[in-house]
Amino acid sequence: MESIYLENNLKLSFEKLQQTIRLIVSRNDEEWVCRKEKLENLIAFTDINQAHIFKGRLQLIKLDDNIGIQVNNKCISTISAEKFKQALNNLR
């Protein structure tokens, strides 16, 4: 499992499952929201300049070199697209 530490005691983790990657946002080490997606789709998302992925509670919005993480339509943090892609590549 790969993790990226965010602000305000939040953490974005990447759990490799059989055919998908489970993205988990944790708050104070307790799971808050999660979403499953294919690795190929996540990597393609990082290669586009402007994109929006997922519907529902957890959403990722890419703008240039940054990825905004939204929970319940509220931006909780922003990370670099390079850091996100590096975590995905470590799961291959």
Side-chain angles (χ1 to χ4, degrees), residues 6 12 25 58-61 67-71 74-79 84:
L6 310 171
L12 175 64
V25 175
L58 175 60
Q59 297 180 28
L60 301 177
I61 299 170
I67 295 176
I69 303 167
Q70 287 190 350
V71 175
K74 181 181 176 189
C75 185
I76 60 162
S77 191
T78 302
I79 59 173
F84 186 88

Side-chain angles (χ1 to χ4, degrees), residues 7-22:
E7 310 117 19
N8 302 323
N9 294 322
L10 296 173
K11 179 173 65 172
L12 175 64
S13 301
F14 303 80
E15 180 183 7
K16 186 174 184 175
L17 302 176
Q18 201 168 26
Q19 295 182 6
T20 59
I21 302 296
R22 185 171 177 242

